[in-house]
Amino acid sequence: MKSVRPTPPRSPFTTAFSRTARETGIRILNLFEWKRRRPPTFLLLLICGAVLLCGSLVSCRPKEATHSLTQEELDKYYADLESCKTMALEGTDREGLEELSDSLDAQYEYIQKQQTIAFVRYSCDQTDEEATELHLDATDKLTQAYDAMMLMLREVNASESPIKDVLFVDWTEEELEMLGAYTSEIAQLEKENEELVVEYQALSEGELAEGIIPLYQKLIANNNRIAQIYGYDNYYTYGYDVVYARDYSTDTVQKARDYAIKYLVPTVPAILQEFALGFQRLTQAEQQVVIAFMEESCQDTDKDYVNLYIDSLPEDLQAAMNHLWQYDRAIFADSTGAKEGAFTVNIGEDAICYFGPGYDGTLTLVHEMGHYASTLNLDLNACPMDLAELHSQGNEWLFMNQVREELNPNVYAVIRDYKMYMDMCTILVSFMVDDFEERIYTTDVSGYTREDFDAVAEEVCQAYGGVDFVNNFLTDFQSYWRLVVMESPVYYVSYAMSDVAALNLYTIASQDREKAYEIYGHLLKDLDLELGFQENLKKVGLSGPFDSTVYEAIASMYGG
């Protein structure tokens, strides 16, 4: 079967669905999501001495995809599953089994598509009870469809059928081993996880600090149980190996963390100082240009910087970036109950970019355009998450390189410092979240109180410059971890890993833009998806997070 595997999908809802609806939901929220929960931009604004107002949003919706899954369609799916099992076990009709397998793939993909439609509707207004109920119901139906498929495949694989190979074309030995370990308990745990996340999303700001604790404890227990069923000690290691296909171990990642601590922690204050001095030297009109990049909608800037950037690209990359707007595939949600953040998700053969309230800024648009462009060319089912995030963050830094031609050099320098500061926060805070989750998932936290979790967060802060440094220069980490760990377990390190490589792409672009565009084109279209993150970086000529020279180059820019 092509649509169902016991390893996680590499893009949300489009190719192989594996770990049931909840973990595919994680992919929606993360694979193509701008969810870095901006670090303390208020610090920059205080430096600027300006009060910023969000630009008004325009509600722009592509052709509405309607949720239309019927009971008759579900009944046919389950009947065909039973027929497929019978035919496979009888072992005489290879051609018939191939035809039925293809039909089941198409039916399963349709159920996935309907779940995605329900999720997008729910994202547009999470306070809409009807949309919430539809989302949970569609997720439950997808989970059940997945469970039934996996149980059928497990039974067939354990048989001596001479034609069972029809159902397992291109499956790896690891996937077959995981299939043998699969039980319906996994589906039930994933259903519980989805319900926990919806309950978490309903918490008010005042309820979050304490209210997350029992929900998070249950999520941790469920995730660790899933990992254990598949033979792993904990979900943290399982997430690295299986969910996000990382080609480095949980032990190796400490090397990258140490580089960030050594070179980036002392650089952050220097970047802010450069930003402050540069901003103060600008005229009031020039300062407004900077402010527009920092907080306001791209619709409120004097120039259409995004289109100017697209026009600078080679024709094939222009076509990929313009596809989003040419086919009206963007949603700008304007409901007060709309999901914060932005993400790109596939619905059938199409992709849609969702932008929540306040997330229609220039860099956010460019970020999601990079994700969208990658969906047009790559089989993201096999794409490591670190590479998927490089598509988006690399696009941001190529944009930053080009936009300098449209700006006064002094204005550009300040905007570059702003962007550099934000990315230093992204790298450091993402490593901190990963560090926090490693400690949590490898410890028995069943009896932990709010104070215990916060004590772990404080220990992490101590390793990254101390609590005062983190709170003053990066983020309120005690609040931050609560915003990301429920929907994004063991994901955030991909932001850090990809951003380091994206910064190297920016360095190359500063010296040879055409070469950088060529590298980016290869990243979008020509990756060898059988290779991991690090090997693909080497293939296109980029340095990554385990190369100290990238960190050293950033530090040297600011006197380090």
Side-chain angles (χ1 to χ4, degrees):
M1 306 298 294
K2 299 176 183 177
S3 295
V4 179
R5 302 290 260 270
T7 49
R10 298 296 181 252
S11 66
F13 298 118
T14 52
T15 51
F17 176 72
S18 71
R19 304 182 56 255
T20 72
R22 169 61 196 136
E23 294 200 4
T24 297
I26 291 175
R27 303 286 292 187
I28 286 181
L29 299 175
N30 298 284
L31 167 58
F32 298 130
E33 184 169 17
W34 178 249
K35 271 200 35 105
R36 288 184 267 182
R37 301 283 187 175
R38 297 173 185 166
T41 302
F42 71 86
L43 180 62
L44 296 174
L45 301 182
L46 288 175
I47 292 173
C48 297
V51 178
L52 304 181
L53 299 175
C54 250
S56 60
L57 289 171
V58 176
S59 180
C60 171
R61 299 181 183 276
K63 286 184 179 179
E64 286 283 341
T66 304
H67 184 274
S68 58
L69 184 62
T70 66
Q71 188 58 48
E72 289 75 17
E73 290 166 329
L74 286 171
D75 290 343
K76 183 180 187 312
Y77 171 78
Y78 288 111
D80 285 354
L81 270 182
E82 203 53 40
S83 298
C84 183
K85 180 176 74 172
T86 300
M87 189 178 296
L89 294 177
E90 288 176 349
T92 59
D93 189 355
R94 176 176 291 272
E95 184 176 338
L97 185 60
E98 289 174 348
E99 183 177 343
L100 188 52
S101 174
D102 289 342
S103 174
L104 277 168
D105 274 333
Q107 292 178 64
Y108 185 82
E109 288 166 2
Y110 180 75
I111 297 171
Q112 286 182 309
K113 176 179 177 180
Q114 297 305 307
Q115 198 275 348
T116 310
I117 292 170
F119 175 81
V120 172
R121 178 179 169 185
Y122 167 68
S123 297
C124 289
D125 188 354
Q126 294 180 326
T127 64
D128 185 327
E129 293 183 3
E130 181 180 346
T132 303
E133 183 178 350
L134 178 64
H135 165 55
L136 287 172
D137 181 65
T139 299
D140 188 39
K141 286 182 169 63
L142 180 56
T143 300
Q144 292 178 35
Y146 173 84
D147 183 47
M149 179 79 83
M150 289 288 283
L151 292 175
M152 183 275 288
L153 291 172
R154 187 185 68 180
E155 182 175 349
V156 171
N157 186 51
S159 75
E160 299 298 325
S161 170
I163 62 172
K164 68 181 182 180
D165 59 288
V166 168
L167 302 182
F168 303 103
V169 176
D170 295 331
W171 282 53
T172 66
E173 286 299 319
E174 181 184 9
E175 288 172 333
L176 290 172
E177 288 178 12
M178 292 182 69
L179 175 64
Y182 179 83
T183 72
S184 291
E185 182 185 358
I186 291 175
Q188 180 59 38
L189 291 167
E190 295 290 8
K191 179 182 178 182
E192 291 179 11
N193 283 354
E194 183 58 40
E195 293 168 351
L196 288 169
V197 170
V198 169
E199 188 175 350
Y200 158 79
Q201 290 167 338
L203 293 174
S204 68
E205 185 176 349
E207 296 169 330
L208 181 61
E210 186 67 43
I212 189 178
I213 302 303
L215 302 178
Y216 190 35
Q217 286 174 317
K218 181 61 175 174
L219 184 80
I220 293 165
N222 287 354
N223 282 340
N224 275 338
R225 176 57 186 154
I226 291 168
Q228 290 159 7
I229 290 173
Y230 281 131
Y232 285 81
D233 291 335
N234 56 74
Y235 187 84
Y236 182 78
T237 305
Y238 172 71
Y240 263 64
D241 288 355
V242 179
V243 182
Y244 301 121
R246 292 178 178 133
D247 61 350
Y248 47 89
S249 69
T250 54
D251 294 330
T252 307
V253 74
Q254 187 61 47
K255 179 179 180 181
R257 292 178 190 163
D258 290 341
Y259 283 148
I261 292 169
K262 179 178 179 179
Y263 294 106
L264 304 189
V265 166
T267 301
V268 168
I271 297 174
L272 279 177
Q273 182 179 24
E274 286 292 313
F275 173 86
L277 293 174
F279 188 87
Q280 292 168 5
R281 288 193 289 262
L282 299 179
T283 66
Q284 186 173 2
E286 290 169 339
Q287 289 176 353
Q288 290 303 312
V289 175
V290 175
I291 290 171
F293 268 86
M294 288 173 59
E295 281 293 312
E296 296 183 16
S297 165
C298 69
Q299 302 167 28
D300 298 326
T301 57
D302 292 334
K303 285 187 177 182
D304 189 346
Y305 296 109
V306 174
N307 275 327
L308 289 169
Y309 164 61
I310 294 174
D311 289 343
S312 77
L313 296 169
E315 287 187 5
D316 58 338
L317 292 183
Q318 284 188 38
M321 298 298 169
N322 278 323
H323 193 281
L324 171 63
W325 314 110
Q326 182 180 353
Y327 292 94
D328 195 19
R329 307 307 298 169
I331 293 177
F332 292 91
D334 55 4
S335 167
T336 55
K339 174 178 174 55
E340 290 187 6
F343 59 82
T344 302
V345 62
N346 288 72
I347 297 182
E349 296 182 355
D350 297 318
I352 285 178
C353 290
Y354 168 93
F355 300 92
Y359 282 81
D360 66 339
T362 302
L363 289 173
T364 305
L365 291 180
V366 173
H367 182 99
E368 295 306 323
M369 284 166 55
H371 281 314
Y372 184 91
S374 71
T375 70
L376 303 177
N377 297 290
L378 290 177
D379 174 13
L380 293 175
N381 179 57
C383 186
M385 288 304 91
D386 299 348
L387 284 173
E389 285 299 341
L390 180 53
H391 296 145
S392 55
Q393 300 196 93
N395 204 37
E396 288 184 49
W397 278 108
L398 290 180
F399 168 82
M400 285 299 300
N401 174 262
Q402 190 279 330
V403 79
R404 66 181 178 179
E405 295 183 359
E406 313 298 334
L407 297 169
N408 173 302
N410 294 328
V411 171
Y412 174 75
V414 174
I415 291 174
R416 180 206 60 209
D417 291 341
Y418 159 72
K419 167 67 172 160
M420 190 67 72
Y421 166 70
M422 294 295 287
D423 281 46
M424 295 304 97
C425 290
T426 293
I427 293 169
L428 289 168
V429 175
S430 295
F431 277 136
M432 291 174 67
V433 170
D434 186 66
D435 194 339
F436 176 81
E437 290 185 297
E438 180 179 14
R439 297 167 191 244
I440 293 300
Y441 274 103
T442 56
T443 304
D444 180 7
V445 298
S446 57
Y448 271 30
T449 64
R450 168 182 173 178
E451 289 73 22
D452 293 326
F453 280 102
D454 286 340
V456 175
E458 185 171 337
E459 290 175 4
V460 172
C461 290
Q462 293 296 347
Y464 290 80
V467 174
D468 289 342
F469 172 83
V470 171
N471 287 338
N472 291 332
F473 290 101
L474 302 180
T475 190
D476 175 2
F477 193 67
Q478 296 291 10
S479 298
Y480 191 91
W481 72 259
R482 289 172 163 84
L483 298 176
V484 298
V485 295
M486 287 293 295
E487 300 177 29
S488 315
V490 196
Y491 182 83
Y492 262 60
V493 72
S494 286
Y495 282 134
M497 296 303 201
S498 60
D499 211 352
V500 173
L503 283 161
N504 184 235
L505 184 64
Y506 173 70
T507 300
I508 293 171
S510 299
Q511 300 166 355
D512 187 342
R513 183 179 299 165
E514 297 308 313
K515 180 180 178 181
Y517 284 170
E518 181 180 356
I519 290 173
Y520 188 66
H522 288 310
L523 290 171
L524 285 181
K525 299 180 298 180
D526 304 323
L527 292 177
D528 183 346
L529 296 181
E530 294 184 2
L531 299 178
F533 173 59
Q534 297 180 78
E535 289 302 314
N536 269 296
L537 290 186
K538 292 178 183 177
K539 183 180 177 181
V540 300
L542 285 179
S543 297
F546 299 107
D547 185 342
S548 65
T549 61
V550 182
Y551 305 88
E552 292 169 354
I554 296 168
S556 66
M557 285 179 61
Y558 296 93

